[in-house]
Amino acid sequence: MSALAIDVTGLVKRFGDKIAVDGVDIHMPKGEVWGFLGPNGSGKTTTIRMICGLLRASAGEGTCLGYDIAREADQIKMSTGYMTQKFSFWNDLTIRENLEFVARLYRMTPLRQRVDETLETLGLTDRQHQQAGALSGGWKQRLALAAVTMHAPKLLLLDEPTSGVDPQARRDFWDEIHRLSTNGITVLVSTHYMDEAERCDHIVYLANGKLLTEGRVADIIQESGLVTFRVEGDSVRRFAGALQQLDGVDHVSYFGNALLVSGTQREIIEHAVEAATDASVRWQEVRPSLDDAFIALMARAGGDRRVHA
Amino acid sequence: MTMGSDTFARISAIFLKELVQMRRDRLTFAMMFAIPVLQLVLFGYAINTDPKGLPTAVHVEEQTPIVRTLLQALETSQYYDLVMQTDDPRKSAALLARGEVAFVVSIPAGFTEQLIRGERPQLLIEADASDPAAASNAIARADAILTSALRHDLTGALKSLNPGPNPFELITHAKYNPEGITQYNIVPGLLGVILTMTLVMITAMAMTREAERGTLENLLAMPVQPLEVMIGKITPYVTVGAVQTLVILVAARYLFAVPFIGAIWPLLLGVVIFVLANLALGFTFSTIASSQMQAMQLTFFFFLPSLLLSGFMFPFRGMPHWAQWIGEVLPLTHFLRIVRGVMLKGSTLVDLHVDFLAMTAFALAAVIVAMLQYRQTLD
Ligand SMILES: Nc1ncnc2c1ncn2[C@@H]1O[C@H](COP(=O)(O)OP(=O)(O)OP(=O)(O)O)[C@@H](O)[C@H]1O
Ligand SMILES: [Mg+2]
């Protein structure tokens, strides 16, 4: 059996004459946590659906957990847990009833005990008799995670699991993901949050249905060739306009009382910052943000399109 | 700016939005035109409250000009359609029991001779009165039709035979429902109508609800087969159907005193097949419809002809042939024959085998279409 949890090549999905996913390759080893990123409509959800057998690929092929994605959807469904982007459990069932339903579909025994354990692990025991429809976003997300993990899947496909969830709940959620990962579960998680991306072993970035880049966070930043300076000082914001105009400066963004100035050539930026500011400011080189790296990579892929703050 | 123009602006904003949404939901939009057209056709052309051309068997034991005159008169009246001759009273009784004919006209041997001698011979018309509305007009007219035919015919030398108002005695037997009580016909029929309405609609909605609320994606992502989903979803409603059946049968007996002549089990078998047919159809609708609204529309589109063409509201045999053909496809038509046959006529499985087969065929077809329609992916 392959050491890859997901091994797909040239995945294409057309809806009518619209191409949602356009030749995506993913080769993901078992046991890792991968982040799936990309702008709205870039094809993340569609790709995940093809991987777990919910959509038929228009072209391309591959396996998920060693099972063919076109022909062995049933086996794939047995050993993956897919958390949909939109909450898709039954609002008119209680938390417990939802979990019992899932447990029965996967033929888990002893049923009561397995449900009790899951409720306990995810801290849902006190709320087990609440109807899902009445839960707040964070609790719904917890219910969904409980439901897709309780059959002990080997692979978790999580589609924007933390959108609309508060910071504490997001942190708890990620702790849970890493706990599962330690136990050997492979996790592919789509997200728009860069801090979440940084928690991943590896990132896959889609743009317009194509794979723009992939790799470790540090590698992607390096690949972008971006250099960022953090400029601080009293009322430093007044320099933003001037900095933005300079050649060699790709991007200026506000960061509290500081400005982050990014570009691809260190010397040019250094000179530019010096020229455009005065003695009252201090500046130092910092690690470029993942955001900026993606934007730079996008701009480069799309030709000379410059991205402004 | 006055309040009035604000109100107008807001009303027109909503009006425009509704207009766009209405046009976008193609199926509902189409139904808004299809249903009135269907109603026009059904009410305008198919339904006939004065049913004519009712199939009639004749059992004559002599062939004389006078007998031929009488039969000819029945035929030309258009109420009776003389479709066959029988020579065995038992055979004609069976034809009536199976509903293949609505009337049996019997003219005994020696009829003509007795008529000529002025002895007022008997002419018997047996009618299937399980649907009183179907038979009543034809029966009411029979005497006038036959008497006037004789008056026309008995001329010349035979004119002397034509003295009294009635040269023969017409005997009519309204079988299965001698008093012509409409409840005997309506209440058993209601069983079929109520089962159709609730079961088709409930199942049609049950599946679309999953799609509309987004839970379908979740269901499809879990290891469960289409047939399993179908059976699992339908079974609770089978129970609902069983309770409805019980309530109606009890009401038929104790509130309306409808006779129950036959055995219960052919009826129950009929209910089971009928319920399955309706559930499978509802499931098919739910795979076609993309919203609960559409599911409702499809249900109504099916329910309307079922109600009107099955023989529930209007006599089946009184409809034009094309309408009868459509009626023969609908499971309710056959179910009504089974329920009325068993309860009012004491019909057996053998008597009703055609209806059982037709209903089973419909159920199978609906299951197959439902299975083909059901997608295991979101495509
Ligand atoms: N069922 C469908 N029919 C037609 N087009 C679709 C369908 N599903 C997705 N699309 C289109 O495919 C493209 C990719 O959509 P997808 O949902 O995969 O993007 P995404 O990366 O998940 O976006 P988001 O971050 O907003 O969730 C979009 O342009 C979308 O409109
Ligand atoms: Mg998405």
Side-chain angles (χ1 to χ4, degrees):
Chain A
M1 223 191 211
S2 157
L4 295 178
I6 298 174
D7 186 9
V8 293
T9 311
L11 281 193
V12 174
K13 184 67 194 180
R14 285 185 212 97
F15 293 110
D17 47 10
K18 180 184 171 68
I19 299 188
V21 174
D22 191 7
V24 168
D25 298 354
I26 297 176
H27 309 289
M28 179 183 185
K30 287 181 176 161
E32 298 198 348
V33 177
W34 279 27
F36 203 21
L37 283 83
N40 292 133
S42 56
K44 301 182 295 296
T45 300
T46 307
T47 305
I48 293 177
R49 284 174 175 168
M50 285 191 282
I51 290 171
C52 65
L54 274 179
L55 280 179
R56 238 172 253 288
S58 311
E61 54 176 18
T63 60
C64 174
L65 296 170
Y67 299 113
D68 189 279
I69 58 167
R71 290 190 310 270
E72 297 174 302
D74 288 338
Q75 286 93 323
I76 294 175
K77 289 173 186 179
M78 266 325 272
S79 36
T80 55
Y82 168 44
M83 181 167 162
T84 56
Q85 179 167 357
K86 183 172 166 274
F87 181 75
S88 61
F89 285 86
W90 287 266
N91 281 327
D92 45 359
L93 296 186
T94 65
I95 291 184
R96 185 174 189 97
E97 287 162 346
N98 269 298
L99 293 180
E100 280 176 354
F101 173 64
V102 174
R104 288 197 181 96
L105 277 189
Y106 287 97
R107 306 198 54 186
M108 290 176 223
T109 49
L111 186 87
R112 278 189 66 93
Q113 195 189 323
R114 294 288 292 276
V115 171
D116 284 337
E117 281 166 13
T118 310
L119 287 166
E120 195 61 42
T121 321
L122 286 133
L124 289 166
T125 308
D126 291 343
R127 293 173 180 261
Q128 56 177 307
H129 297 301
Q130 273 190 21
Q131 288 195 11
L135 297 172
S136 70
W139 287 101
K140 278 187 177 169
Q141 173 243 47
R142 216 174 268 215
L143 163 61
L145 184 66
V148 301
T149 53
M150 71 184 304
H151 64 287
K154 297 191 182 72
L155 171 68
L156 276 182
L157 300 164
L158 310 174
D159 197 359
E160 294 189 34
T162 58
S163 64
V165 168
D166 71 45
Q168 179 64 48
R170 280 213 290 144
R171 182 171 301 170
D172 294 348
F173 183 85
W174 275 94
D175 288 347
E176 180 63 23
I177 297 295
H178 283 117
R179 193 184 64 77
L180 289 164
S181 166
T182 315
N183 295 340
I185 297 183
T186 312
V187 185
L188 177 66
V189 51
S190 85
T191 179
H192 289 294
Y193 295 110
M194 294 303 145
D195 62 311
E196 294 186 353
E198 306 223 12
R199 294 170 183 264
C200 297
D201 299 318
H202 187 104
I203 283 164
V204 174
Y205 193 94
L206 289 192
N208 287 324
K210 291 196 174 73
L211 198 140
L212 181 73
T213 184
E214 66 168 319
R216 294 185 307 141
V217 171
D219 295 342
I220 287 175
I221 290 173
Q222 199 180 356
E223 181 196 344
S224 75
L226 216 56
V227 183
T228 300
F229 287 92
R230 181 188 174 99
V231 184
E232 279 173 299
D234 292 337
S235 53
V236 70
R237 286 173 178 228
R238 68 197 140 103
F239 301 119
L243 284 165
Q244 188 73 76
Q245 299 304 319
L246 295 174
D247 279 342
V249 172
D250 286 348
H251 185 77
V252 177
S253 58
Y254 300 100
F255 195 82
N257 273 331
L259 291 175
L260 294 178
V261 184
S262 305
T264 42
Q265 282 153 294
R266 176 173 286 104
E267 273 99 87
I268 295 180
I269 298 187
E270 249 173 329
H271 287 132
V273 172
E274 242 182 316
T277 58
D278 58 32
S280 70
V281 307
R282 286 157 282 125
W283 43 272
Q284 72 184 107
E285 188 174 347
V286 294
R287 197 190 78 162
S289 76
L290 198 51
D291 271 331
D292 288 341
F294 286 133
I295 290 167
L297 285 167
M298 269 283 246
R300 196 187 303 161
D304 60 351
R305 186 173 129 224
R306 273 185 43 162
V307 185
H308 294 284
Chain B
M1 275 284 115
T2 63
M3 260 253 299
S5 82
D6 282 355
T7 300
F8 179 76
R10 290 188 290 255
I11 289 174
S12 58
I14 289 173
F15 167 78
L16 289 173
K17 170 187 142 300
E18 288 304 311
L19 211 60
V20 171
Q21 288 178 315
M22 191 171 86
R23 279 178 39 218
R24 198 131 304 159
D25 185 351
R26 292 273 176 79
L27 188 65
T28 305
F29 198 60
M31 285 287 176
M32 278 190 280
F33 295 99
I35 286 178
V37 169
L38 184 70
Q39 281 173 319
L40 274 175
V41 171
L42 293 183
F43 282 107
Y45 296 107
I47 285 164
N48 187 354
T49 49
D50 182 20
K52 294 190 172 163
L54 299 168
T56 304
V58 289
H59 172 224
V60 288
E61 289 172 345
E62 62 174 22
Q63 291 287 353
T64 65
I66 287 188
V67 167
R68 277 196 293 276
T69 301
L70 292 173
L71 296 181
Q72 183 68 47
L74 290 176
E75 183 92 56
T76 43
S77 76
Q78 292 189 3
Y79 281 98
Y80 299 86
D81 182 8
L82 308 185
V83 289
M84 58 182 100
Q85 300 261 357
T86 69
D87 45 15
D88 183 349
R90 272 173 309 177
K91 235 188 239 168
S92 43
L95 287 171
L96 208 56
R98 286 202 300 271
E100 276 179 47
V101 295
F103 301 101
V104 176
V105 177
S106 302
I107 301 179
F111 180 87
T112 311
E113 216 182 295
Q114 287 183 317
L115 187 85
I116 291 173
R117 281 199 243 114
E119 290 173 7
R120 298 196 74 218
Q122 293 187 334
L123 189 153
L124 174 66
I125 298 182
E126 293 161 292
D128 175 356
S130 58
D131 182 357
S136 58
N137 279 0
I139 290 185
R141 301 278 156 86
D143 208 7
I145 293 166
L146 294 168
T147 312
S148 86
L150 277 188
R151 195 157 291 145
H152 239 264
D153 224 45
L154 295 181
T155 48
L158 294 171
K159 197 162 187 183
S160 59
L161 298 172
N162 209 349
N166 276 350
F168 59 89
E169 185 185 356
L170 174 66
I171 299 175
T172 54
H173 280 176
K175 295 182 83 170
Y176 315 123
N177 185 3
E179 288 154 68
I181 300 172
T182 43
Q183 277 88 341
Y184 286 10
N185 187 53
I186 295 292
V187 176
L190 214 48
L191 176 59
V193 170
I194 290 175
L195 285 175
T196 303
M197 189 64 211
T198 44
L199 295 178
V200 175
M201 190 162 72
I202 289 171
T203 24
M205 309 265 278
M207 207 60 198
T208 26
R209 188 158 56 228
E210 304 272 356
E212 222 174 57
R213 295 188 182 170
T215 49
L216 187 63
E217 183 174 13
N218 201 344
L219 205 56
L220 292 177
M222 291 192 279
V224 59
Q225 299 296 318
L227 192 63
E228 296 161 352
V229 176
M230 183 155 163
I231 294 173
K233 279 205 160 276
I234 277 175
T235 310
Y237 302 113
V238 172
T239 321
V240 172
V243 173
Q244 289 179 333
T245 304
L246 191 71
V247 168
I248 294 167
L249 288 181
V250 168
R253 177 147 190 91
Y254 295 103
L255 293 181
F256 299 102
V258 180
F260 199 123
I261 295 169
I264 184 87
W265 66 269
L267 181 79
L268 294 183
L269 180 65
V271 170
V272 169
I273 300 173
F274 182 65
V275 164
L276 284 180
N278 280 311
L279 294 172
L281 186 74
F283 198 88
T284 306
F285 285 169
S286 80
T287 59
I288 298 170
S290 52
S291 67
Q292 298 190 64
M293 170 79 166
Q294 292 187 346
M296 284 271 285
Q297 303 259 6
L298 285 171
T299 305
F300 192 65
F301 197 73
F302 173 75
F303 185 63
L304 199 61
S306 290
L307 198 64
L308 299 178
L309 301 185
S310 63
F312 173 69
M313 286 182 65
F314 304 100
F316 189 82
R317 296 292 179 201
M319 301 188 304
H321 284 292
W322 61 265
Q324 291 192 25
W325 275 110
I326 299 174
E328 293 288 354
V329 175
L330 302 169
L332 183 59
T333 307
H334 301 285
F335 184 67
L336 291 184
R337 289 182 194 155
I338 291 170
V339 181
R340 289 172 177 168
V342 170
M343 289 180 72
L344 303 178
K345 301 178 180 177
S347 305
T348 62
L349 206 56
V350 178
D351 294 330
L352 295 165
H353 71 277
V354 175
D355 295 305
F356 275 99
L357 288 179
M359 225 165 51
T360 309
F362 185 94
L364 279 180
V367 169
I368 290 169
V369 174
M371 299 304 296
L372 293 177
Q373 275 286 326
Y374 182 84
R375 303 144 303 161
Q376 218 168 349
T377 60
L378 291 168
D379 296 74

